[in-house]
Short mmCIF file of all heavy atoms in Angstrom, two decimals:
data_model
loop_
_atom_site.label_atom_id
_atom_site.label_comp_id
_atom_site.label_asym_id
_atom_site.label_seq_id
_atom_site.Cartn_x
_atom_site.Cartn_y
_atom_site.Cartn_z
N ALA A 736 -20.87 11.68 32.75
CA ALA A 736 -19.99 12.07 31.56
C ALA A 736 -20.58 11.52 30.24
O ALA A 736 -20.01 11.46 29.26
CB ALA A 736 -18.67 11.30 31.74
N ASN A 748 -16.11 20.68 35.19
CA ASN A 748 -16.83 21.41 34.12
C ASN A 748 -16.35 22.80 34.07
O ASN A 748 -16.69 23.58 33.14
CB ASN A 748 -18.32 21.28 34.28
CG ASN A 748 -19.04 20.94 33.10
OD1 ASN A 748 -18.49 20.96 31.96
ND2 ASN A 748 -20.21 20.39 33.24
N LEU A 759 -12.47 11.11 33.90
CA LEU A 759 -13.27 11.22 32.60
C LEU A 759 -13.00 10.13 31.62
O LEU A 759 -13.82 9.53 30.94
CB LEU A 759 -13.06 12.58 31.94
CG LEU A 759 -13.77 12.77 30.68
CD1 LEU A 759 -15.35 12.88 30.93
CD2 LEU A 759 -13.40 14.20 30.08
N TYR A 760 -11.68 9.72 31.69
CA TYR A 760 -11.17 8.75 30.73
C TYR A 760 -10.86 7.36 31.44
O TYR A 760 -10.18 6.55 30.87
CB TYR A 760 -10.09 9.27 29.84
CG TYR A 760 -10.33 10.55 29.11
CD1 TYR A 760 -9.39 11.56 29.12
CD2 TYR A 760 -11.48 10.69 28.51
CE1 TYR A 760 -9.63 12.69 28.38
CE2 TYR A 760 -11.85 11.86 27.78
CZ TYR A 760 -11.00 12.83 27.73
OH TYR A 760 -11.23 13.96 26.95
N GLY A 963 -7.71 16.15 18.14
CA GLY A 963 -8.55 17.27 18.09
C GLY A 963 -9.13 17.59 19.57
O GLY A 963 -8.47 17.04 20.53
N GLY A 964 -9.92 18.50 19.64
CA GLY A 964 -10.33 19.11 21.07
C GLY A 964 -11.83 18.97 21.24
O GLY A 964 -12.75 19.09 20.49
N THR A 965 -11.99 18.59 22.55
CA THR A 965 -13.45 18.65 23.12
C THR A 965 -13.46 19.49 24.39
O THR A 965 -12.43 19.93 24.88
CB THR A 965 -13.83 17.16 23.68
OG1 THR A 965 -12.87 16.71 24.51
CG2 THR A 965 -13.81 16.27 22.44
N THR A 966 -14.66 19.76 24.94
CA THR A 966 -14.79 20.56 26.14
C THR A 966 -16.14 20.07 26.82
O THR A 966 -16.98 19.35 26.29
CB THR A 966 -15.01 22.00 25.65
OG1 THR A 966 -14.87 22.83 26.87
CG2 THR A 966 -16.16 22.38 24.91
N HIS A 967 -16.30 20.56 27.98
CA HIS A 967 -17.50 20.32 28.82
C HIS A 967 -17.63 18.75 29.17
O HIS A 967 -17.03 17.96 28.63
CB HIS A 967 -18.71 20.87 28.19
CG HIS A 967 -18.67 22.22 28.01
ND1 HIS A 967 -18.35 23.19 28.89
CD2 HIS A 967 -18.94 23.00 26.89
CE1 HIS A 967 -18.42 24.41 28.48
NE2 HIS A 967 -18.86 24.38 27.19
N ILE A 968 -18.54 18.65 30.10
CA ILE A 968 -18.88 17.16 30.58
C ILE A 968 -20.35 17.15 30.59
O ILE A 968 -20.91 17.93 31.37
CB ILE A 968 -18.24 16.72 31.77
CG1 ILE A 968 -16.78 16.95 31.76
CG2 ILE A 968 -18.63 15.38 32.33
CD1 ILE A 968 -15.95 16.94 33.09
N PRO A 969 -21.21 16.33 29.84
CA PRO A 969 -20.61 15.43 28.82
C PRO A 969 -19.88 16.18 27.75
O PRO A 969 -20.19 17.33 27.41
CB PRO A 969 -21.91 14.69 28.23
CG PRO A 969 -22.88 14.96 29.33
CD PRO A 969 -22.65 16.18 30.02
N GLU A 970 -18.97 15.44 27.02
CA GLU A 970 -18.14 16.17 26.12
C GLU A 970 -18.84 16.55 24.76
O GLU A 970 -19.55 15.81 24.19
CB GLU A 970 -16.91 15.19 25.71
CG GLU A 970 -15.88 15.14 26.88
CD GLU A 970 -14.73 14.25 26.62
OE1 GLU A 970 -14.85 12.96 26.61
OE2 GLU A 970 -13.63 14.80 26.17
N VAL A 971 -18.43 17.64 24.22
CA VAL A 971 -18.80 18.07 22.91
C VAL A 971 -17.55 18.69 22.27
O VAL A 971 -16.67 19.07 22.91
CB VAL A 971 -19.89 19.18 23.03
CG1 VAL A 971 -21.21 18.68 23.67
CG2 VAL A 971 -19.42 20.39 23.70
N ALA A 972 -17.65 18.84 20.91
CA ALA A 972 -16.55 19.45 20.19
C ALA A 972 -16.39 20.89 20.73
O ALA A 972 -17.37 21.50 20.94
CB ALA A 972 -16.90 19.54 18.73
N VAL A 973 -15.13 21.26 20.98
CA VAL A 973 -14.94 22.68 21.57
C VAL A 973 -15.53 23.73 20.81
O VAL A 973 -15.63 23.71 19.63
CB VAL A 973 -13.38 22.77 21.77
CG1 VAL A 973 -12.77 23.00 20.43
CG2 VAL A 973 -13.07 23.78 22.82
N SER A 974 -15.98 24.72 21.52
CA SER A 974 -16.76 25.78 20.85
C SER A 974 -16.16 27.22 21.17
O SER A 974 -16.37 28.08 20.29
CB SER A 974 -18.23 25.79 21.31
OG SER A 974 -18.23 26.00 22.75
N ARG A 975 -15.44 27.30 22.21
CA ARG A 975 -14.77 28.65 22.39
C ARG A 975 -13.73 29.03 21.34
O ARG A 975 -13.36 30.12 21.00
CB ARG A 975 -14.10 28.72 23.85
CG ARG A 975 -15.17 28.68 25.00
CD ARG A 975 -14.51 28.61 26.36
NE ARG A 975 -13.77 29.90 26.60
CZ ARG A 975 -12.81 30.08 27.65
NH1 ARG A 975 -12.51 29.01 28.33
NH2 ARG A 975 -12.25 31.27 27.76
N PHE A 976 -13.03 27.97 20.87
CA PHE A 976 -12.13 28.09 19.76
C PHE A 976 -12.55 26.66 18.99
O PHE A 976 -13.39 26.00 19.45
CB PHE A 976 -10.64 28.06 20.08
CG PHE A 976 -10.36 27.23 21.22
CD1 PHE A 976 -9.87 25.95 21.03
CD2 PHE A 976 -10.37 27.59 22.49
CE1 PHE A 976 -9.43 25.04 22.07
CE2 PHE A 976 -10.00 26.80 23.63
CZ PHE A 976 -9.59 25.51 23.32
N SER A 978 -11.93 22.88 16.98
CA SER A 978 -11.08 21.74 16.83
C SER A 978 -10.80 21.73 15.29
O SER A 978 -11.63 21.59 14.45
CB SER A 978 -11.77 20.50 17.21
OG SER A 978 -10.96 19.50 16.99
N SER A 1023 -9.54 12.56 19.98
CA SER A 1023 -9.72 13.93 20.57
C SER A 1023 -9.49 13.64 22.06
O SER A 1023 -9.40 12.52 22.44
CB SER A 1023 -11.09 14.43 20.37
OG SER A 1023 -11.17 14.92 19.06
N ALA A 1024 -9.39 14.89 22.67
CA ALA A 1024 -9.32 14.81 24.23
C ALA A 1024 -9.70 16.13 24.59
O ALA A 1024 -9.88 17.06 23.85
CB ALA A 1024 -8.01 14.30 24.63
N GLN A 1025 -10.07 16.44 25.89
CA GLN A 1025 -10.32 17.62 26.43
C GLN A 1025 -9.19 18.64 26.10
O GLN A 1025 -8.03 18.43 26.02
CB GLN A 1025 -10.25 17.60 27.99
CG GLN A 1025 -11.71 16.98 28.48
CD GLN A 1025 -12.79 17.91 28.58
OE1 GLN A 1025 -12.66 19.01 28.88
NE2 GLN A 1025 -14.05 17.43 28.19
N SER A 1026 -9.68 19.94 25.81
CA SER A 1026 -8.71 20.90 25.36
C SER A 1026 -9.08 22.37 25.79
O SER A 1026 -8.56 23.36 25.30
CB SER A 1026 -8.70 20.92 23.84
OG SER A 1026 -9.85 21.20 23.27
N ASP A 1027 -9.79 22.46 26.95
CA ASP A 1027 -10.08 23.76 27.38
C ASP A 1027 -10.04 23.89 28.97
O ASP A 1027 -10.28 22.87 29.70
CB ASP A 1027 -11.55 24.18 27.01
CG ASP A 1027 -11.89 25.58 27.06
OD1 ASP A 1027 -10.99 26.43 27.27
OD2 ASP A 1027 -13.09 25.98 26.76
N ARG A 1028 -9.58 25.03 29.42
CA ARG A 1028 -9.64 25.37 30.84
C ARG A 1028 -8.69 24.41 31.63
O ARG A 1028 -8.97 24.07 32.77
CB ARG A 1028 -11.03 25.30 31.40
CG ARG A 1028 -12.03 26.23 30.74
CD ARG A 1028 -13.36 26.32 31.32
NE ARG A 1028 -13.85 24.86 31.69
CZ ARG A 1028 -14.37 24.06 30.62
NH1 ARG A 1028 -14.62 24.52 29.43
NH2 ARG A 1028 -14.78 22.86 30.99
N ASN A 1085 -14.94 7.12 23.32
CA ASN A 1085 -16.29 7.79 23.51
C ASN A 1085 -16.61 8.51 22.38
O ASN A 1085 -15.96 9.54 22.03
CB ASN A 1085 -16.23 8.64 24.78
CG ASN A 1085 -15.53 8.00 25.94
OD1 ASN A 1085 -15.99 6.83 26.31
ND2 ASN A 1085 -14.47 8.45 26.64
N ASP A 1086 -17.71 8.20 21.59
CA ASP A 1086 -18.02 8.94 20.39
C ASP A 1086 -18.53 10.36 20.83
O ASP A 1086 -19.34 10.45 21.78
CB ASP A 1086 -19.05 8.10 19.73
CG ASP A 1086 -19.21 8.57 18.28
OD1 ASP A 1086 -18.35 9.43 17.75
OD2 ASP A 1086 -20.15 8.09 17.60
N ILE A 1087 -18.02 11.35 20.10
CA ILE A 1087 -18.58 12.77 20.38
C ILE A 1087 -19.44 13.02 19.15
O ILE A 1087 -19.11 13.04 17.95
CB ILE A 1087 -17.37 13.63 20.43
CG1 ILE A 1087 -16.34 13.24 21.39
CG2 ILE A 1087 -17.87 15.10 20.84
CD1 ILE A 1087 -16.85 12.94 22.74
N THR A 1088 -20.59 13.36 19.48
CA THR A 1088 -21.71 13.66 18.37
C THR A 1088 -22.25 15.02 18.40
O THR A 1088 -23.33 15.26 17.71
CB THR A 1088 -22.78 12.59 18.52
OG1 THR A 1088 -23.39 12.65 19.80
CG2 THR A 1088 -22.26 11.16 18.27
N VAL A 1089 -21.72 15.98 19.23
CA VAL A 1089 -22.24 17.36 19.25
C VAL A 1089 -21.24 18.33 18.99
O VAL A 1089 -19.99 18.29 19.62
CB VAL A 1089 -22.87 17.64 20.75
CG1 VAL A 1089 -23.40 19.00 20.71
CG2 VAL A 1089 -23.99 16.60 20.99
N GLY A 1090 -21.39 19.13 18.11
CA GLY A 1090 -20.44 20.27 17.77
C GLY A 1090 -20.08 20.21 16.32
O GLY A 1090 -20.43 19.49 15.59
N HIS A 1091 -19.17 21.34 16.05
CA HIS A 1091 -18.73 21.53 14.60
C HIS A 1091 -17.43 22.30 14.77
O HIS A 1091 -17.06 22.81 15.77
CB HIS A 1091 -19.85 22.18 13.77
CG HIS A 1091 -20.15 23.61 14.31
ND1 HIS A 1091 -19.52 24.74 14.15
CD2 HIS A 1091 -21.23 24.01 15.27
CE1 HIS A 1091 -20.18 25.77 14.68
NE2 HIS A 1091 -21.20 25.28 15.48
N ASN A 1092 -16.78 22.46 13.54
CA ASN A 1092 -15.48 23.28 13.64
C ASN A 1092 -15.51 24.37 12.59
O ASN A 1092 -15.07 24.31 11.49
CB ASN A 1092 -14.35 22.27 13.39
CG ASN A 1092 -14.41 21.51 12.15
OD1 ASN A 1092 -15.32 21.53 11.46
ND2 ASN A 1092 -13.30 20.80 11.85
N THR A 1102 -19.92 17.07 13.84
CA THR A 1102 -19.66 15.84 14.39
C THR A 1102 -20.81 14.86 14.00
O THR A 1102 -21.73 15.16 13.48
CB THR A 1102 -19.60 15.90 15.93
OG1 THR A 1102 -20.85 16.32 16.34
CG2 THR A 1102 -18.48 16.71 16.40
N ASP A 1107 -15.47 11.51 12.56
CA ASP A 1107 -15.72 12.79 11.94
C ASP A 1107 -14.56 13.71 11.89
O ASP A 1107 -13.65 13.41 12.72
CB ASP A 1107 -16.90 13.37 12.51
CG ASP A 1107 -16.75 13.76 13.97
OD1 ASP A 1107 -15.89 14.57 14.36
OD2 ASP A 1107 -17.42 13.13 14.85
N VAL A 1109 -13.84 16.39 13.00
CA VAL A 1109 -13.96 17.47 14.08
C VAL A 1109 -13.31 16.75 15.25
O VAL A 1109 -12.38 17.41 16.00
CB VAL A 1109 -15.30 17.85 14.29
CG1 VAL A 1109 -15.33 19.06 15.40
CG2 VAL A 1109 -16.14 18.17 13.10
N THR A 1110 -13.73 15.66 15.66
CA THR A 1110 -13.26 14.97 16.89
C THR A 1110 -12.73 13.51 16.59
O THR A 1110 -12.38 12.83 17.55
CB THR A 1110 -14.38 14.92 17.91
OG1 THR A 1110 -15.36 14.07 17.36
CG2 THR A 1110 -14.84 16.06 18.39
N GLY A 1113 -13.16 10.01 18.62
CA GLY A 1113 -13.61 10.46 19.98
C GLY A 1113 -12.50 10.47 20.94
O GLY A 1113 -11.37 10.49 20.65
N THR A 1114 -13.01 10.31 22.21
CA THR A 1114 -12.01 10.57 23.32
C THR A 1114 -11.77 9.14 24.04
O THR A 1114 -12.60 8.25 23.86
CB THR A 1114 -12.53 11.50 24.41
OG1 THR A 1114 -13.72 11.08 24.78
CG2 THR A 1114 -12.60 12.90 23.76
#
Side-chain angles (χ1 to χ4, degrees):
N748 231 339
L759 181 60
Y760 297 142
T965 62
T966 189
H967 300 312
I968 302 167
E970 292 182 275
V971 299
V973 73
S974 57
R975 292 178 69 193
F976 42 91
S978 180
S1023 287
Q1025 284 278 318
S1026 59
D1027 198 7
R1028 305 181 312 277
N1085 309 307
D1086 197 10
I1087 309 300
T1088 59
V1089 178
H1091 58 87
N1092 57 356
T1102 57
D1107 56 68
V1109 187
T1110 59
T1114 59

